[in-house]
Amino acid sequence: MYRVFKMFSISVPITLLAILFVTNAFAEKIIIRADETSFPATYKKDDKWEGMDVDIINELLSRANLESKYSQIPFQRSIFQIKSGEIQLIPNLVKNESRSEYMHWLGPIRVTCIGLVVQEKDMQLPIKTTDELISVALQKQKKIGYLIGASYSPSLDERLENDAKLRDVLYFLPDNSQHRQMLKLGRLLGYFYDAFEIQRRIADPDFSAEFNGLALHDYRIKDSCTGAYIGISKKMDNEIYQKIIHAFQEMHDDGTFTEMYLKWVGREPNF
């Protein structure tokens, strides 16, 4: 009986330690939504995640001593998952009132404007306003690609909800790579996308081939020039959240953020 009791007394602490270790490892595994087509924010090269936001997140989590896992998830699904806490971070987001109900915001990481990707032959189309965009789309009998779940500006969100004419000229898809292929085939007039990202992708030798025959139009969505942020689930443990906030402040204080910004944007941040 003594031997049984002794073995039990030794095994219980060991078992508890093992459980605690597994629990803590699971709790501190940060799941990040990434998009392999969102160069230069997040993308894959040689089967490895890279990008401006990837660099920043990796540095953040390293300083906070947190493990991470990047996951390619359709955008709309990732919004539901960050609400529930299934994933913890979504980079490259525009913050708005509705998202702020279930996300904290880290940033801005950079300033972004939402532009219109078109075929090169359509770069001079007379489009300066959303009304002109609708008019040209109707005239050409082609639609504009819109990413399901995206929020490009408060004014466009409101108009999208109340303007049937705008909704009628939009073509909703879960993946911008589908929009790109449809545009190349001439089935769309264009699609909305981050102007900074598109300019970088078109100029980058690793990605320019994907955009042969495409260009960025001068049109910008009204009120869309704003910060791009990292969204953090409000379901995240507060202690872990504070570690990330502290690490981000450290990166600003010691110049690491500025170095990364220079690497990807080519100038110092002005915010």
Side-chain angles (χ1 to χ4, degrees):
M1 180 179 287
Y2 176 76
R3 285 183 61 192
V4 172
F5 178 78
K6 186 174 182 181
M7 288 175 65
F8 179 76
S9 66
I10 293 171
S11 65
V12 168
I14 292 173
T15 304
L16 286 173
L17 283 171
I19 292 170
L20 286 170
F21 175 78
V22 171
T23 302
N24 285 339
F26 176 78
E28 296 186 5
K29 188 87 166 185
I30 306 302
I31 310 299
I32 304 139
R33 188 263 175 183
D35 183 347
E36 61 186 25
T37 67
S38 286
F39 176 88
T42 66
Y43 66 99
K44 267 192 171 180
K45 186 175 181 180
D46 300 327
D47 207 34
K48 179 184 176 184
W49 286 105
E50 297 190 14
M52 180 178 182
D53 291 26
V54 173
D55 281 357
I56 290 169
I57 289 170
N58 287 348
E59 180 68 19
L60 277 172
L61 300 187
S62 174
R63 291 179 183 227
N65 197 28
L66 299 168
E67 296 183 9
S68 64
K69 178 186 176 182
Y70 290 89
S71 184
Q72 174 85 21
I73 304 169
F75 182 74
Q76 181 72 352
R77 188 192 306 166
S78 74
I79 293 296
F80 290 119
Q81 289 181 334
I82 204 166
K83 282 183 184 180
S84 66
E86 290 178 68
I87 64 174
Q88 286 76 47
L89 300 184
I90 303 180
N92 203 26
L93 287 180
V94 172
K95 68 178 180 179
N96 61 27
E97 188 174 342
S98 62
R99 290 175 178 173
S100 296
E101 294 177 6
Y102 50 87
M103 277 191 271
H104 302 294
W105 299 104
L106 196 67
I109 304 303
R110 64 189 158 274
V111 174
T112 180
C113 299
I114 305 302
L116 181 67
V117 184
V118 296
Q119 292 189 352
E120 285 180 344
K121 66 181 180 62
D122 291 330
M123 280 186 67
Q124 304 304 319
L125 285 173
I127 303 172
K128 292 184 178 179
T129 67
T130 302
D131 287 329
E132 290 173 346
L133 178 66
I134 294 170
S135 178
V136 171
L138 291 172
Q139 179 187 344
K140 298 284 186 179
Q141 296 184 337
K142 291 183 180 180
K143 295 199 172 191
I144 307 296
Y146 193 105
L147 182 66
I148 293 174
S151 174
Y152 295 129
S153 80
S155 58
L156 189 69
D157 288 348
E158 182 178 357
R159 185 160 183 177
L160 189 59
E161 186 176 345
N162 299 302
D163 189 342
K165 287 184 178 179
L166 174 60
R167 292 196 299 272
D168 286 345
V169 300
L170 297 179
Y171 193 89
F172 296 90
L173 279 173
D175 186 345
N176 273 318
S177 63
Q178 295 172 276
H179 285 141
R180 185 174 68 248
Q181 294 306 318
M182 291 181 69
L183 177 57
K184 284 188 169 186
L185 293 170
R187 294 171 60 190
L188 292 176
L189 179 65
Y191 65 93
F192 296 134
Y193 206 85
D194 183 303
F196 168 72
E197 288 188 25
I198 283 294
Q199 288 169 329
R200 292 296 303 270
R201 289 174 74 90
I202 290 174
D204 190 277
D206 289 330
F207 295 95
S208 58
E210 299 176 9
F211 292 86
N212 283 342
L214 305 183
L216 180 66
H217 193 278
D218 286 340
Y219 169 80
R220 299 290 183 271
I221 292 177
K222 182 182 177 183
D223 302 326
S224 72
C225 293
T226 184
Y229 291 78
I230 297 171
I232 303 176
S233 174
K234 287 189 174 180
K235 296 285 186 179
M236 177 183 282
D237 178 81
N238 186 60
E239 184 178 346
I240 296 175
Y241 171 62
Q242 292 301 326
K243 284 183 179 180
I244 292 173
I245 294 299
H246 179 70
F248 190 61
Q249 186 59 54
E250 273 189 345
M251 288 173 64
H252 274 278
D253 293 344
D254 66 20
T256 303
F257 179 84
T258 297
E259 288 177 11
M260 291 182 172
Y261 193 92
L262 276 166
K263 171 186 171 182
W264 289 101
V265 180
R267 57 178 171 78
E268 292 192 359
N270 57 358
F271 49 81

